[in-house]
Amino acid sequence: MRMNTSDTDLALAAAGGDSNAFALLLERSYDRLFGLCFRLTGSRFEAEDLCQDICAALPAKLARFEGSAAFSTWLYRVAVNASHDRRRRAQTRAKAAEGWGDWEVNRTEANKEQAEAQDWLIHAIGRLPDDLRDTVALVMDDMNHREVGEILDVSEGTVSWRMSEVKKHLKALKESEQ
């Protein structure tokens, strides 16, 4: 019976307080959610932190799940929104830290060097504009352009255009490094 129950049915049951349904839903979804978080953040540590935040907030957020979209689509939208919130908070902290002198510059530079040690593709994706990064992260999760468009609330054609732009950006980055 476990595998026959749809994610949507489990999500609706979990929204109603069924802890077993929630546990099974999380078990089914966690690896894909973590993969998306990793692509959105470019860092295992950040992905773990983001994924943990999403999972902690999920019981309350499930109360708003209506079942009109696939659970995976809804969950990915939650993840993309959480990633955007995290980026905004990081930008706010970065602005607040400006002017802290050489110590802050050195600390920021050390963090940048550590990030550059990551795999080239993840690093390159991290340098893309937010809309392109979000798009490629979802496409890399074997989602079709229609599904990605639904999650990002853009047309399928926009997703295709963004992927074309991603290819141009990645090619230019690769050429500039040679």
Side-chain angles (χ1 to χ4, degrees), residues 138-156:
L138 291 167
V139 168
M140 287 176 67
D141 203 46
D142 294 328
M143 299 183 81
N144 64 43
H145 290 192
R146 181 190 52 77
E147 293 168 327
V148 172
E150 185 177 332
I151 291 168
L152 297 176
D153 198 26
V154 297
S155 73
E156 187 174 338

Side-chain angles (χ1 to χ4, degrees), residues 98-157:
E98 284 181 29
W100 282 47
D102 292 340
W103 180 85
E104 180 62 20
V105 169
N106 291 336
R107 187 189 70 77
T108 303
E109 194 60 37
N111 287 344
K112 184 186 285 185
E113 289 174 9
Q114 191 175 32
E116 289 172 356
Q118 299 277 337
D119 175 73
W120 182 88
L121 183 58
I122 296 299
H123 175 69
I125 290 171
R127 293 171 60 186
L128 294 172
D130 288 348
D131 59 340
L132 298 180
R133 183 182 328 154
D134 296 343
T135 303
V136 74
L138 291 167
V139 168
M140 287 176 67
D141 203 46
D142 294 328
M143 299 183 81
N144 64 43
H145 290 192
R146 181 190 52 77
E147 293 168 327
V148 172
E150 185 177 332
I151 291 168
L152 297 176
D153 198 26
V154 297
S155 73
E156 187 174 338

Side-chain angles (χ1 to χ4, degrees), residues 10 13-15 18-27 54-56 58-59 62:
L10 287 174
D18 185 338
S19 60
N20 290 331
F22 181 75
L24 181 56
L25 190 61
L26 209 51
E27 181 181 322
I54 292 166
C55 290
L58 204 51
L62 275 170

Side-chain angles (χ1 to χ4, degrees), residues 55-117:
C55 290
L58 204 51
K61 290 189 179 294
L62 275 170
R64 293 188 299 276
F65 178 71
E66 299 171 355
S68 58
F71 173 74
S72 60
T73 300
W74 178 85
L75 180 60
Y76 276 27
R77 187 67 199 159
V78 168
V80 168
N81 286 340
S83 176
H84 286 198
D85 291 344
R86 182 175 285 270
R87 287 181 204 146
R88 281 191 290 273
R89 285 192 304 271
Q91 288 171 347
T92 300
R93 284 191 301 270
K95 284 181 183 177
E98 284 181 29
W100 282 47
D102 292 340
W103 180 85
E104 180 62 20
V105 169
N106 291 336
R107 187 189 70 77
T108 303
E109 194 60 37
N111 287 344
K112 184 186 285 185
E113 289 174 9
Q114 191 175 32
E116 289 172 356

